[in-house]
């Protein structure tokens, strides 16, 4: 860490401003300077509650009072006041800023901070950019969560750092989801602080060709009418993700229970085009593979590139002196075809020979002749 961190906040009772400042202190980051924008009359831009992406409780504490209590330098200043912000950034040796509350920050102000300005957007970027983040989450049927990113001159763009996905539960409502999203912003801040302290921040550009336009009331109502449909998809996706993860790490109880609840999971594929059996075989999870085969998994169903479970099963044991061949035996006994070829027209023996593993090659050839 080097230099001070600026916190863009609001100069009035504002829950996120106060929570972020307190959280930063609790995470051990106390070299803060707060730039608090004065309150403006935005009644002409008033928006209904359903357009908000958080349901923050009322904060009775003034941001200035909190900073005084914590001994944090506090400046009441417009967030587009380039000359004053430049002077203060130089005075306090500020190289990084965090947004706890701000309107659009202009490009010349962003350029003042050599390490950038970090925002915690209450939705998945680029799909949910803009003010109507939660409504776009529902409309586009994407996971809820927080995108941590460095901002640039565009709205909700810049460089991606992390996406914290929100876990949805059966009893969740629109309000409970939005409250969880707010609390998840604080978790995302904690994660960022951990990376900042350990100097492990990495990012890559966000591809966002166009931004989302503000929704009309009719568009928001239509989006919110899709809440139950959206929730059902999130619950289904979470179940599938947990199932695939269990196959990867060898969680026999989790996988077994999921199969009992929904046997069709065995036939699904993940984003790579891998079946659960392929995942288990690639990760050398013998017990999981046996469970899947016993419950009807096809030992010859290929991945997206035509790669068979048998081909994946050999990957991590190639040229190992004391390779465990039990998974190879299991697949062959279940009917795995060693002559199957992938999209390149190559079978398992081509790849074994290419790797120079004569021991594995001879074992399979002898085993299939039994």
């Amino acid at each position: 860490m080097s230099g001070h961190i600026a916190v863009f906040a609001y100069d009035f009772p504002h829950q996120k401003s106060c929570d972020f400042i307190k959280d930063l202190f609790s995470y051990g980051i106390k070299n803060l300077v707060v730039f608090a924008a004065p309150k403006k009359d935005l009644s002409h831009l008033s928006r209904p509650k359903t357009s908000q992406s958080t349901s923050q409780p009322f904060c009775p504490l003034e941001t200035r009072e909190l900073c005084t209590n914590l001994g944090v330098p506090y400046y009441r200043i417009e967030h587009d006041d380039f000359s004053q912000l430049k002077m203060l950034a130089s005075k306090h040796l500020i190289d990084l800023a965090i947004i706890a509350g701000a309107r659009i920050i202009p490009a010349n102000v962003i350029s003042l901070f050599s390490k950038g300005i970090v925002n915690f957007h209450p939705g998945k970027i680029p799909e949910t950019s803009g003010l109507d983040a939660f409504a776009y989450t529902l409309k586009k049927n994407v996971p809820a969560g927080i995108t941590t990113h460095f901002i640039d001159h565009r709205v909700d763009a810049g460089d991606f750092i992390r996406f914290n996905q929100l876990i949805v539960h059966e009893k969740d409502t629109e309000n409970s989801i939005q409250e969880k999203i707010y609390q998840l912003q604080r978790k995302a801040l904690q994660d960022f602080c951990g990376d900042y302290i350990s100097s492990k921040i990495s990012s890559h550009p966000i591809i966002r060709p166009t931004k989302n336009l503000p929704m009309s009331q009719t568009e928001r109502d239509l989006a919110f009418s899709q809440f139950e449909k959206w929730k059902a998809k999130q619950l289904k996706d979470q179940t599938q993700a947990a199932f695939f993860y269990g196959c990867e790490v060898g969680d026999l109880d989790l996988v077994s229970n999921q199969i009992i609840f929904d046997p069709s999971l065995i036939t699904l594929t993940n984003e790579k085009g891998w079946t659960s059996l392929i995942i288990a075989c690639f990760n050398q999870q013998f017990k999981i593979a046996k469970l899947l085969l016993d419950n009807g998994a096809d030992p010859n169903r290929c991945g997206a590139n035509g790669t068979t479970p048998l081909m994946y099963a050999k990957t991590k044991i190639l040229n190992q002196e004391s390779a465990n061949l039990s998974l190879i035996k299991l697949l062959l006994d279940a009917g795995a075809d060693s002559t199957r070829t992938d999209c390149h027209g190559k079978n398992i023996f081509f790849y074994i020979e290419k790797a120079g593993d004569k021991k594995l090659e001879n074992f399979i050839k002898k085993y299939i002749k039994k």
Side-chain angles (χ1 to χ4, degrees):
M1 293 188 297
S2 61
H4 280 67
I5 296 177
V7 178
F8 283 90
Y10 286 130
D11 181 48
F12 51 84
H14 181 251
Q15 191 70 38
K16 186 175 175 181
S17 293
C18 289
D19 283 343
F20 267 39
I21 293 168
K22 289 186 291 184
D23 287 348
L24 285 163
F25 250 66
S26 70
Y27 303 148
I29 299 179
K30 302 179 180 180
N31 54 332
L32 304 177
V33 178
V34 172
F35 298 144
K39 192 169 186 177
K40 289 185 176 180
D41 181 9
L42 301 177
S43 57
H44 64 293
L45 297 175
S46 62
R47 301 169 67 79
K49 184 178 180 181
T50 54
S51 73
Q52 302 301 312
S53 20
T54 63
S55 53
Q56 302 176 28
F58 174 70
C59 177
L61 187 64
E62 292 277 355
T63 311
R64 178 187 295 274
E65 181 183 355
L66 172 63
C67 291
T68 299
N69 294 341
L70 295 176
V72 173
Y74 183 91
Y75 297 92
R76 185 177 187 271
I77 186 171
E78 295 286 359
H79 291 164
D80 59 358
D81 190 339
F82 175 76
S83 60
Q84 286 298 310
L85 289 170
K86 181 179 180 180
M87 181 272 293
L88 292 171
S90 176
K91 174 183 176 180
H92 292 282
L93 302 177
I94 300 170
D95 53 15
L96 176 73
I98 290 173
I99 295 178
R103 301 178 187 95
I104 296 177
I105 298 176
N108 61 347
V109 171
I110 297 172
S111 69
L112 294 175
F113 306 92
S114 60
K115 292 184 179 178
I117 299 179
V118 183
N119 184 45
F120 301 87
H121 177 75
K124 198 170 186 288
I125 293 177
E127 293 90 336
T128 71
S129 61
L131 291 175
D132 294 295
F134 188 51
Y136 274 111
T137 294
L138 301 179
K139 178 180 178 179
K140 298 188 177 183
N141 214 351
V142 296
I146 306 301
T147 301
T148 304
H149 67 111
F150 290 109
I151 68 172
D152 64 13
H153 64 283
R154 300 168 297 163
V155 175
D156 295 333
D159 284 2
F160 174 89
I161 299 173
R162 172 187 289 108
F163 179 67
N164 289 66
Q165 185 169 335
L166 183 143
I167 301 301
V168 178
H169 294 99
E170 185 66 43
K171 294 183 179 180
D172 273 323
T173 63
E174 295 171 15
N175 288 336
S176 69
I177 290 292
Q178 292 184 81
E179 174 57 28
K180 284 182 176 181
I181 289 173
Y182 174 67
Q183 295 302 331
L184 193 58
Q185 289 185 68
R186 301 178 69 180
K187 174 62 169 60
L189 174 64
Q190 180 180 10
D191 291 343
F192 175 81
C193 289
D195 291 342
Y196 174 74
I197 291 171
S198 59
S199 299
K200 293 182 179 179
I201 298 173
S202 61
S203 63
H204 62 265
I206 294 172
I207 300 175
R208 197 222 66 187
T210 59
K211 66 178 181 179
N212 291 325
L213 297 175
M215 288 187 178
S216 66
Q217 182 60 54
T218 300
E219 289 173 321
R220 285 191 291 272
D221 290 343
L222 179 60
F224 274 80
S225 72
Q226 300 298 308
F227 176 77
E228 291 300 329
K229 180 180 178 181
W230 171 84
K231 185 171 76 170
K233 183 179 186 299
Q234 301 311 307
L235 291 170
K236 182 179 180 180
D237 289 349
Q238 288 172 187
T239 297
Q240 293 177 7
F243 175 69
F244 288 137
Y245 178 74
C247 293
E248 178 183 346
V249 301
D251 191 329
L252 195 62
D253 288 339
L254 185 154
V255 174
S256 178
N257 290 335
Q258 294 279 43
I259 290 174
I260 292 172
F261 178 75
D262 184 3
S264 69
L265 288 169
I266 293 176
T267 64
L268 296 179
T269 57
N270 66 7
E271 67 279 359
K272 293 181 179 179
W274 291 14
T275 64
S276 53
L277 182 59
I278 287 176
I279 294 171
C281 289
F282 179 76
N283 290 284
Q284 292 292 301
Q285 299 295 350
F286 176 87
K287 292 182 179 180
I288 299 294
K290 186 175 188 309
L291 173 66
L292 295 170
L293 289 166
D294 289 345
N295 282 272
D298 183 350
N300 291 306
R301 185 176 173 188
C302 303
N305 294 321
T307 310
T308 66
L310 189 61
M311 292 178 187
Y312 282 108
K314 62 96 175 76
T315 304
K316 292 188 177 181
I317 62 172
L318 282 172
N319 294 308
Q320 286 190 8
E321 186 64 31
S322 56
N324 185 340
L325 303 176
S326 59
L327 184 55
I328 299 291
K329 293 179 184 178
L330 176 70
L331 289 168
L332 292 172
D333 288 341
D337 184 355
S338 61
T339 66
R340 286 285 185 96
T341 57
D342 60 17
C343 62
H344 303 291
K346 311 299 184 183
N347 64 21
I348 188 173
F349 293 113
F350 171 83
Y351 295 107
I352 294 176
E353 290 171 8
K354 185 178 179 181
D357 193 338
K358 286 292 183 181
K359 181 179 178 181
L360 180 57
E361 178 186 353
N362 291 335
F363 170 81
I364 295 176
K365 288 180 176 179
K366 288 180 181 180
Y367 198 83
I368 61 179
K369 288 181 179 180
K370 287 183 179 182

